[in-house]
Amino acid sequence: MNKLEDILANRLCNGCGACAAMAPGAIKMIETKSEARRPSITKPIGQAKEQQALANCPGANASLPKTNDDITSAAWGPIIEVWEGYATDPEICHKGSSGGAVTALALYCIEKEEFAGALHVKADTKNPILNKASLSTNRTELMVGAGSRYAPASVCDALPEVSSAENSCVVIGKPCDIAGTNSVAASVPELARNLGLTISIFCAGSPSQEGTQALLENLKPADAQTLLSLKYRGEGWPGDMEAVWETKSGARTSATTSYGAGWGNILQKHRQWRCHTCADHTGEFADISVGDPWQNPPETMEHGKSLIVVRTERGRNIMQAAMETGYIKAERRENSVLFAAQPNLFATKGAVWGRSVA
């Protein structure tokens, strides 16, 4: 692969934006309909700079961190501890997709560790169909991005905000976003200096814009005109998908569908091609990974909880401090709980070799 066009032509791009972070101003992430956000060279970049950007592409340079030889490590990557818990702040717990642990950890870092902020994905304020990554510096800003966004998003193209921050930052994203972040940090000293914590969400694949449009077409009432908001999850566990429109008369109308119906029947049919050959769906390169504890039927739980996988010593220190200061309440779990909680992701990783060959 000698050019950015080769990555795109071979459908190896996952839309993370690492290449744009390596060449800000020259490579820009743009919205595409069929396969999510994709890079575009907006001005002459030079062969050397383009090669550097390609070298930091996690889609084309797929790898996994070294682990022990046991089956649990092979299946789930590096693990120091596994916890099941939730944010003690009732609003964060309720709004989060599964217990609000990601938001609670980020808030702890900002309020207690004096982090400059947390880079994460929010709905675009100008168009709720789209996503935008930005640096949140307080609880109010963090809450805007609480909950899942099952639509194209690039975290890495906003990494220059972390590089220029006055202090350490949290970076929150999909597994490919975190892999891209670490890759860019290895080449950009300013980013490495400010990379205080990485948190990955578990990911079963990123749907394209076509998926979002299909979801909206399924939900849209006859009198709907202008889309005001789109919620994929949260406000309960796992939470319904909900879209709100303004009607021609200026009133508001909304429609919902269950998480299972929205994801299982609509969105997952529109996952980008690269996701089908991805071996890391649980954020193996992150300090902390967070996913759903599906071993617990939702009807059996009072509120949502998060399955929290601590992968590094830095992650363990932050997790422990967040519990000690009351930001998170959690109970230790055996590492093997991951097989019961996420059997689909275990099966998906096992199928990657065959899919790649095919």
Side-chain angles (χ1 to χ4, degrees), residues 116-140:
L119 180 64
H120 63 139
V121 171
K122 307 174 185 178
D124 192 311
T125 56
K126 297 180 181 178
N127 185 349
I129 293 178
L130 306 179
N131 291 325
K132 184 177 181 180
S134 61
L135 195 68
S136 291
T137 61
N138 55 54
R139 184 185 185 281
T140 300

Side-chain angles (χ1 to χ4, degrees), residues 60-125:
N61 303 292
S63 64
L64 290 174
K66 293 182 179 180
T67 60
N68 299 326
D69 293 331
D70 62 282
I71 182 62
T72 303
S73 296
W76 306 104
I79 301 174
I80 294 179
E81 298 170 349
V82 176
W83 297 83
E84 186 177 325
Y86 55 92
T88 56
D89 183 312
E91 184 182 8
I92 293 177
C93 182
H94 181 67
K95 188 172 183 180
S97 293
S98 55
V102 173
T103 303
L105 285 166
L107 184 62
Y108 163 78
C109 289
I110 293 172
E111 293 186 343
K112 298 301 183 181
E113 297 288 341
E114 298 183 350
F115 277 30
L119 180 64
H120 63 139
V121 171
K122 307 174 185 178
D124 192 311
T125 56

